Amino acid sequence: MPTSSPRLAPPSTPLTPPTATPARQASVPAPAVPRSPVRAAAREVLDPAHLRTALRLTSVDATLVAALLCGASVAITLVIAATSGHEDLAGFAALGALTSLYGRFDPYRRRAALLASVGAILVGSILLTTAVTAVGAPTWVTLAVVALLAGGMTALCQLLRTGPPGATIVVFAAGAGLAGSPTFADLAPRGLAGLLGVAVAWAVCVAGFLFRPSGPARLAVRRATLAAEAAALVPDDRGAVGRARDAVAHARTVLADDASHRRTRATALRLADELSGAAGTTAALPPRQTLRATARASLAAPGWRLRSVRVTLAAAAAAAVAHVAGFGHPAWAAMGATATLQGTTTQHAVVRALQRALGTVAGALIAWPLLDAHLGFWATAALVVALQVVTEIVVGRHYGLAMLTITPMALLMTSLGGSSEGIALDRALDTAVGAVVGILAVVLVHARRRPVPQSAGRAAA
């Protein structure tokens, strides 16, 4: 552990006094021609370096426990659904169990609130699209509802800073509500099945508070310490310094949450002292930040409105293209566009598009023989659980490789509640459409720039 604290702020650039210029040489500079954001984005999208980035593996840690918790949630839910005589609703129950994917490294009280909120939205999405379909609404209306859900959930995830998987799971659930030819009589069974999955996921993921209540805080401090030590070795590396700053900020947020509860307060204060010595930060912790406070603080942050609009437009366009093309599940195209646009930068979005499109095609080829084998319920359920666990171990390391298990897992889960004929091809085609439309949205949809008044330009000159 270093004796001196690493620099967690980017080095400041010294200000050099301007050289005096004779008055006769002074001139008003010509106004700069604004660069087209569409051209700039297109140039960045076409950068061949994205292909190399898409092939690169990422180093991650602490994935096994999160994977096992998700797998346990899905497994328990499927067993309950089947043993209660509702195998036809097992897919909706498993969808509810995917709530366990959210907030995996959050402190327990925050995660409990987050899982309850996301679970309510997920079940509400199933009910909404089921009701819209049951009322006999035109296809364009149902797909518009899916697109609005995608954009709305993207905004919420940005404001709450949930991290992965973002809005993708909610769009998956909304698409499931469109499946079959539901009537109003299907609302209660589908909703209760989804609620079962949410309840199981909540119980499984929060149960750790009974046995190791400070687990998330210990992990956050360990990660922050390692990141700070790495940044101290290369103080001029802005990437390393930025990662260290983010890791320390997250650790302090987790510790603040734990410090506000009597059971975890002592451990949180001790860990705060350790973090202070390792990262050179103050040992005093900020106030605990609830989900509502997080959302309120994020309202002023730039970018979340643009991302929400992009996702809404891209999801609607992708679903429309898939529907006109005659693909069987246009909501999956909306999900593909949504997943692509969960990237925080243009490079991230392009890399996700490449990995998702190519990985889904390969994953569909893996799923095809499994679907054609018409496995029984228990064999299918076992495969779904196993694939889900492997997915959560792999996805942080390489999103494209994870698609090799995500795709057959999702298709097998879909087959639990209906026909599996042709869904592998639909998945590949719909995902490819969604990825392409998502990239087009990155290129074409930008925030409106406010013109600079001429008087301001003359004053600056």
Side-chain angles (χ1 to χ4, degrees):
M1 186 174 297
T3 56
S4 60
S5 61
R7 294 191 306 180
L8 297 183
S12 58
T13 303
L15 297 177
T16 304
T19 304
T21 303
R24 58 187 176 81
Q25 294 182 0
S27 60
V28 178
V33 178
R35 186 180 181 185
S36 168
V38 173
R39 291 183 180 178
R43 189 176 295 111
E44 188 173 356
V45 163
L46 296 175
D47 187 347
H50 297 325
L51 184 58
R52 294 192 297 271
T53 305
L55 299 175
R56 189 178 303 150
L57 290 173
T58 303
S59 177
V60 294
D61 63 350
T63 58
L64 181 59
V65 172
L68 292 176
L69 289 176
C70 182
S73 300
V74 175
I76 294 171
T77 300
L78 290 175
V79 169
I80 294 175
T83 54
S84 62
H86 297 288
E87 292 184 2
D88 57 320
L89 297 171
F92 293 98
L95 271 173
L98 294 184
T99 305
S100 58
L101 297 175
Y102 290 85
R104 63 189 69 184
F105 300 124
D106 284 350
Y108 284 110
R109 286 190 298 162
R110 178 184 173 86
R111 192 178 191 190
L114 178 63
L115 294 182
S117 302
V118 172
I121 295 171
L122 191 149
V123 174
S125 299
I126 295 174
L127 293 175
L128 178 59
T129 52
T130 298
V132 170
T133 306
V135 81
T139 301
W140 68 268
V141 173
T142 60
L143 296 180
V145 169
V146 172
L148 290 173
L149 285 171
M153 188 61 186
T154 296
L156 183 64
C157 288
Q158 292 287 317
L159 293 175
L160 295 182
R161 304 171 194 170
T162 65
T168 308
I169 302 300
V170 169
V171 180
F172 188 21
L178 304 177
S181 301
T183 65
F184 286 109
D186 294 312
L187 282 173
R190 288 184 174 189
L192 290 174
L195 191 60
L196 167 67
V198 171
V200 170
W202 189 94
V204 169
C205 293
V206 178
F209 185 76
L210 301 175
F211 309 103
R212 202 164 182 263
S214 299
R218 295 178 188 277
L219 176 62
V221 170
R222 177 167 64 85
R223 285 175 165 175
T225 300
L226 293 175
E229 291 175 351
L233 297 176
V234 283
D236 294 328
D237 186 338
R238 291 183 178 272
V241 172
R243 287 189 294 272
R245 188 189 306 113
D246 292 343
V248 170
H250 173 70
R252 286 174 54 79
T253 300
V254 174
L255 289 172
D257 195 286
D258 277 12
S260 66
H261 191 274
R262 59 180 178 79
R263 187 177 180 192
T264 52
R265 183 179 298 118
T267 301
L269 295 178
R270 178 175 57 78
L271 290 173
D273 287 336
E274 293 180 10
L275 180 63
S276 175
T281 58
T282 176
L285 295 172
R288 177 178 182 246
Q289 197 168 45
T290 62
L291 289 181
R292 181 177 298 180
T294 301
R296 192 181 301 117
S298 300
L299 283 173
W304 67 268
R305 292 180 180 87
L306 175 59
R307 291 192 185 111
S308 178
V309 171
R310 272 181 178 166
V311 168
T312 303
L313 295 177
V321 170
H323 175 63
V324 171
F327 300 159
H329 296 78
W332 288 351
M335 182 171 65
T338 302
T340 296
L341 292 172
Q342 300 306 301
T344 54
T345 63
T346 299
Q347 181 194 45
H348 194 187
V350 174
V351 169
R352 283 180 69 92
L354 290 170
Q355 293 176 335
R356 187 171 183 90
L358 298 177
T360 297
V361 171
L365 293 175
I366 295 173
W368 209 315
L370 297 174
L371 295 170
D372 285 346
H374 298 291
L375 303 172
F377 176 87
W378 292 110
T380 301
L383 273 175
V384 166
V385 172
L387 291 169
Q388 185 64 62
V389 172
V390 174
T391 292
E392 296 311 306
I393 293 174
V394 175
V395 68
R397 294 171 170 84
H398 196 280
Y399 186 61
L401 289 178
M403 294 308 302
L404 299 181
T405 54
I406 291 175
T407 303
M409 182 272 296
L411 293 175
L412 288 169
M413 188 182 294
T414 301
S415 72
L416 290 173
S419 172
S420 61
E421 184 176 357
I423 61 175
L425 180 60
D426 283 343
R427 180 78 172 198
L429 295 174
D430 288 325
T431 299
V433 168
V436 171
V437 173
I439 294 303
L440 288 176
V442 171
V443 174
L444 299 175
V445 182
H446 298 274
R448 185 174 61 180
R449 292 186 297 183
R450 299 177 180 176
V452 179
Q454 293 184 0
S455 59
R458 287 194 295 269

